[in-house]
Every structure is written in C-alpha cells, then in structure tokens.
C-alpha cells in the first residue's frame, strides 16, 4: 500500500508540475514566436481564467496563461505536493480537520473584499500569496484523497477478481 501511495503522489506531482509549467511556458512560447503552441495554451486556460492582462504576471513581455490569483492557487498546489512527504507520511489518509481548509479561504477573501470595497488596491503579490495559501491547503486534502481513491479502486478490483 505504501508503494502505491508513492506512485499516486509521484504521478500527481508530475501532473501538477506540468500544469504550472504550461502556464509559464505559454508566454515564453509566444515571446519566441511559437504561436502554434502558445495560442492553444492560452485558449485552453481561457476556459478557467479571465486572463485580464493587468491582473497577470508577465514574462518576456507576455502575460502568463492565467491571472496572478489563479497562478497562486496552482503554484501553491505544486509547492505543497513537492514538500508533502516532509511533514506527513504518504500513506496517511486521515484528513486534517476541515476548518483548516475554510481558514485558508480567509486571506484570499480579505484580499478580494478589501479591493472590491475600495479599501485598498490589491497587487499581484497580494493576490498570489493569498491564493497560494489556498492552493497549499487544497493539496493537503487532495493528496490523501487520491491515495484513498486509488486504494479503494484497487481493493474493489481485487475483490471482484476474487469473486469471479
């Protein structure tokens, strides 16, 4: 079971890395004139993010494929996936108390609310950091869930094989 948990974590980490990589690769490809790659990437990410240029990080004069807030969530997921096994055993599927997930929404809510009500002007950094906190918290719940789902699928398959 532990070996299976490591495989799930490794595969999931690769997927999250690729997701973050593609967000950053899109502007690099566009700046290099490789629109055959950048245009489909921007189009794909447009379904999940507004991609408003002033709200996005830029590299080489081109905006990321998602805004700074979305990028913070995805980067937080990636960072937590990388360091997950330093704090929690990979085969530990008992989730943390849910209030941690709800608490992780507070910084992003405060950042958004203060800007909406004109109390302060949020920045790329405030959007990125507040949403990164949410991404880190989400990964803390996603990894054990993926391990448990995989275990249950394996058990079910083994049980069905034994029945037949």
């Amino acid at each position: 079971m532990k070996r299976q948990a490591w495989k799930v974590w490794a595969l999931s980490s690769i997927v999250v890395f690729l997701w973050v990589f593609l967000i950053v690769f899109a502007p690099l490809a566009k700046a290099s004139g490789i629109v055959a790659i950048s245009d489909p990437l921007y189009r794909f990410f447009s379904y999940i993010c507004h991609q408003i240029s002033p709200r996005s990080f830029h590299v080489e004069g081109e905006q990321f494929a998602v805004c700074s807030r979305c990028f913070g969530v995805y980067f937080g997921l990636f960072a937590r996936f990388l360091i997950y096994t330093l704090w929690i055993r990979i085969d530990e599927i008992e989730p943390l108390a849910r209030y941690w997930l709800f608490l992780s929404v507070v910084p992003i809510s405060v950042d958004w609310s203060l800007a909406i009500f004109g109390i302060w002007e949020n920045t790329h950094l405030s959007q990125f950091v507040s949403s990164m906190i949410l991404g880190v918290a989400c990964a803390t719940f996603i990894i054990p869930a993926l391990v448990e789902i995989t275990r249950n699928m394996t058990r079910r398959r083994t049980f069905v094989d034994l029945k037949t």
Side-chain angles (χ1 to χ4, degrees):
M1 290 295 189
K2 193 170 193 168
R3 183 180 220 197
Q4 181 185 51
W6 279 103
K7 286 179 182 179
V8 168
W9 171 80
L11 181 62
S12 302
S13 296
I14 291 168
V15 169
V16 174
F17 166 77
L18 288 174
W19 189 267
V20 172
F21 173 79
L22 290 174
I23 290 169
V24 179
F25 184 67
L28 294 174
K30 187 173 182 181
S32 299
I34 311 171
V35 293
I37 294 174
S38 65
D39 285 353
L41 288 173
Y42 278 110
R43 194 173 316 109
F44 171 77
F45 284 109
S46 73
Y47 293 111
I48 58 173
C49 180
H50 55 70
Q51 296 178 328
I52 297 172
S53 185
R55 295 185 186 174
S56 301
F57 288 121
H58 289 72
V59 63
E60 300 287 328
E62 302 294 337
Q63 76 181 61
F64 279 22
V66 297
C67 69
S68 56
R69 186 166 281 136
C70 290
F71 185 68
V73 171
Y74 301 133
F75 187 81
L77 278 169
F78 173 64
R80 183 61 174 143
F81 265 81
L82 285 183
I83 62 173
Y84 184 84
T85 58
L86 298 176
W87 278 278
I88 301 172
R89 285 189 6 240
I90 194 67
D91 60 340
E92 178 63 47
I93 60 170
E94 191 61 37
L96 296 174
R98 277 189 226 131
Y99 67 84
W100 287 109
L101 186 58
F102 293 112
L103 284 176
S104 72
V105 177
V106 170
I108 198 171
S109 300
V110 168
D111 183 58
W112 179 83
S113 298
L114 292 176
I116 286 295
F117 293 115
I119 297 170
W120 87 315
E121 183 78 23
N122 57 20
T123 64
H124 292 324
L125 183 62
S126 70
Q127 291 173 345
F128 175 76
V129 170
S130 63
S131 59
M132 191 172 81
I133 293 167
L134 177 61
V136 167
C138 287
T140 304
F141 288 86
I142 291 170
I143 295 168
L146 291 173
V147 169
E148 185 175 14
I149 288 167
T150 306
R151 280 185 186 168
N152 289 339
M153 289 173 60
T154 303
R155 284 185 193 141
R156 183 172 296 147
R157 206 171 337 132
T158 304
F159 179 72
V160 171
D161 291 345
L162 291 174
K163 276 177 70 173
T164 57

